[in-house]
């Protein structure tokens, strides 16, 4: 049978293809499917020593108003392989970049229902074209499409043309997609070791977008070279000789090898450090310049030092991944526990937490040749400190004993006074206190008492029960977790969580889908709870904490430089807002009756 008469079967049930319209893709992930297919075919051909291949695979993505063209100079698809390539979910024998057997089809139908594939096989056989028009096939009840011969071109490869695509892509969106694609395939494009094998090009309305070099990250440009550090009581101690803080690691997870390296950057950056970068068969899956992966239960919260300096590249080849290849689907907590059980990892994180660049720059640290000498110094220092503390306590006790003995008689006399006389004398004593008394006096028992400020948001059973009434289990659990956060140690997390719970509650209670401003929503509810315009001060005490939480929570979440010193005010804010939140919940419940 001649090529012009040959047809290929594209079943299963043709209605199956209509479901791909809702596949969980982004534009970047959908375009990645074509890159994966071309790149994997090229690498396999190189491995098998196929002749006439280019030194570097070039893939050009051209986005225009009604058409997207993906063109490569790779191996092409031979006529003998096209039936397999077009059969949905026919998986290859080995795991690789292209492994689910549905990528090209799923991506093409996600973009639209009409597309064309032109193939120019590297083996020199007849080039061919196939056109897939789902509406036409469904209308005619067909499940086969013909292969048509086409004129050869000067180089091999595949060209895919997506017509009338449904996803809106403006120039800014295209630039963002381009940045994400380059970062995803950085190991193939911009790294010098190994040599690049992929040249990616993206054009928007015939304009070629500029490339970025993702091998140059501030934190990874140069590793920290410095001795082990200990930061103790606001002093930096440096122990031993210089160490280059970069190390290869290898371990097993889910019975598969994980390998790569960990490092500390000479420079640190909260905004530019992606943290942990997780690759799979060379493709970046997690940890990008836009979506950092710095797990707090591994490196700590963003107000710590380690997240801005600790960096890792780990290869998790063969680990389970979603069909859209957008995320790993293993248990993240088990994976992080595995990392935490590697001594080198925790040693690096500890060093990142203890290192102080400003003190190092000013040579403001104490150096020890060995760890033993550092420990001896600490013991000696602690002994002196304990001795000084003991002398101070003895002196204080002596002062208190004298004071007690000389005032015993006065105490007996005071017992005969009326309460009014006592109060009068106390006021007189208070008025007689001056600055000289304060500066020269020893601390008494009262001055030794610390003012106790709540370090957590006080849990309210009433608010918790009202949140439960909404029937969404997430909210009461979220509130319960919020009440556990230390307001002094984790202020940034506290404000982000406080803002998030108010935002989540607003979204659940709001009837207006266009209402996006948190402050406006709660102020509107406040006017219903306190309708009297004369009660301005009463309203003010609610409006201030709402605005504070809104602004600070937003800044903490979205701004890389904004920091919170402490969040102790949140305890009082939630005590005040409790009445308003319960009012909002009950209003919603009454409406739904």
């Amino acid at each position: 049978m001649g090529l012009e008469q040959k047809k290929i079967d594209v079943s299963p049930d043709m209605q199956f293809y209509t479901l791909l319209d809702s596949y969980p893709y982004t534009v970047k992930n959908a375009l990645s499917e074509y890159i994966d297919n071309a790149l994997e075919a090229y690498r396999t051909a190189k491995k098998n020593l196929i002749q006439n291949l280019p030194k570097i695979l070039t893939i050009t993505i051209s986005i225009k108003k009604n058409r997207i063209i993906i063109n490569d100079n790779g191996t092409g698809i031979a006529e003998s392989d096209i039936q397999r390539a077009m059969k949905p979910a026919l998986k290859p024998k080995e795991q690789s970049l292209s492994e689910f057997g549905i990528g090209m089809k799923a991506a093409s139908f996600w973009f639209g229902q009409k597309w064309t594939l032109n193939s120019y096989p590297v083996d020199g056989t007849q080039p061919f074209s196939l056109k897939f028009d789902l509406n036409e096939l469904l209308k005619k009840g067909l499940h086969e499409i013909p292969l048509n011969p086409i004129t050869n071109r000067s180089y091999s490869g595949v060209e895919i043309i997506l017509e009338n695509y449904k996803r809106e892509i403006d120039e800014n969106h295209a630039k963002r997609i381009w940045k994400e694609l380059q970062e995803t395939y950085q190991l193939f494009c911009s790294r010098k070791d190994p040599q690049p094998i992929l040249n990616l090009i993206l054009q928007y309305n015939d304009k070629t977008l500029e490339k970025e070099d993702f091998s140059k990250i501030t934190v990874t440009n140069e590793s920290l070279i410095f001795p082990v550090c200990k930061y103790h009581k606001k002093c930096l101690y440096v122990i031993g000789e210089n160490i280059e803080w970069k190390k290869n690691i290898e371990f097993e997870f889910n019975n598969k090898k994980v390998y790569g390296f960990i490092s500390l950057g000479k420079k640190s950056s909260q905004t530019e450090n992606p943290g942990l970068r997780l690759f799979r068969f060379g493709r970046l899956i997690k940890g990008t310049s836009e979506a950092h992966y710095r797990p707090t239960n591994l490196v700590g919260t963003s107000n710590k030092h380690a997240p801005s300096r600790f960096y890792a590249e780990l290869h998790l080849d063969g680990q389970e991944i979603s069909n859209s290849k957008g995320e790993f689907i293993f248990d993240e907590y088990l994976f992080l526990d595995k990392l935490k059980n590697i001594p080198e990892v925790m040693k690096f994180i500890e060093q990142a937490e203890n290192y102080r660049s400003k003190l190092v720059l000013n040579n403001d640290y104490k150096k020890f040749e060995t760890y033993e000498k550092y420990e001896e110094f600490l013991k000696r220092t602690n002994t002196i400190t304990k001795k000084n503390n003991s002398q101070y306590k003895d002196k204080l006790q002596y002062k208190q004993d004298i004071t007690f003995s000389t005032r015993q008689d006065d105490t007996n006399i005071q017992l005969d006074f009326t309460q009014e006389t006592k109060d009068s004398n106390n006021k007189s004593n208070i008025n007689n206190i001056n600055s000289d008394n304060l500066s020269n006096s020893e601390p008494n028992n009262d001055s030794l008492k610390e003012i106790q400020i709540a370090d957590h948001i006080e849990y309210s059973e009433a608010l918790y029960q009202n949140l439960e009434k909404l029937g969404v289990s997430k909210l009461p659990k979220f509130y319960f977790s919020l009440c556990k956060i230390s307001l002094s140690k984790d202020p940034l997390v506290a404000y982000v969580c406080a803002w998030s719970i108010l935002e989540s509650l607003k979204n659940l209670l709001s009837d207006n889908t266009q209402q996006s401003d948190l402050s406006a929503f709660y102020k509107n509810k406040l006017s219903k709870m306190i309708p009297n315009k004369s009660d301005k001060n009463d309203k003010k005490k609610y409006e201030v904490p709402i605005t504070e939480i809104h602004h600070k929570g937003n800044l903490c979440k979205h701004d890389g430089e904004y920091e919170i010193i402490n969040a102790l005010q949140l305890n009082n804010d939630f005590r005040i807002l409790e009445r308003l939140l319960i009012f909002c919940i009950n209003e919603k419940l009454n409406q739904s009756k």
Side-chain angles (χ1 to χ4, degrees), residues 117-184:
L117 183 149
N118 298 323
S119 178
Y120 305 88
V122 71
D123 61 9
T125 55
Q126 173 65 52
F128 61 86
S129 175
L130 62 86
K131 295 181 183 293
F132 208 127
D133 188 333
L134 185 58
N135 287 333
E136 189 72 14
L137 292 170
L138 290 173
K139 183 178 178 181
K140 295 181 178 180
L142 301 175
H143 60 85
E144 291 182 327
I145 54 177
L147 296 184
N148 298 310
I150 55 176
T151 305
N152 211 339
R153 68 182 186 184
S154 60
Y155 58 94
S156 62
V158 170
E159 180 183 54
I160 294 175
I161 304 168
L162 309 171
E163 299 181 58
N164 301 320
Y165 61 91
K166 297 174 291 185
R167 314 294 169 177
E168 186 174 341
I169 306 174
D170 60 24
E171 186 171 359
N172 287 332
H173 190 191
K175 288 179 179 178
R176 189 165 64 251
I177 293 164
W178 178 224
K179 183 178 180 180
E180 291 172 352
L181 286 173
Q182 292 177 90
E183 192 167 11
T184 297

Side-chain angles (χ1 to χ4, degrees), residues 57-91:
L57 174 67
T58 297
I59 301 176
T60 303
I61 300 169
S62 176
I63 301 175
K64 297 183 179 181
K65 185 175 181 181
N66 294 315
R67 176 177 290 192
I68 297 176
I69 300 174
I70 303 101
N71 186 24
D72 71 70
N73 67 340
T75 63
I77 303 173
E79 177 199 338
S80 57
D81 292 328
I82 190 62
Q83 178 64 74
R84 177 192 57 79
M86 293 303 297
K87 200 73 175 174
L90 191 61
K91 296 184 178 182

Side-chain angles (χ1 to χ4, degrees), residues 238-256:
V238 176
I239 306 164
E241 300 299 321
N242 279 345
I243 298 171
E244 181 177 6
W245 292 91
K246 184 174 183 178
K247 185 176 182 63
N248 292 332
I249 63 170
E250 184 178 313
F251 60 95
E252 275 201 1
F253 178 65
N254 287 342
N255 297 318
K256 293 182 175 65

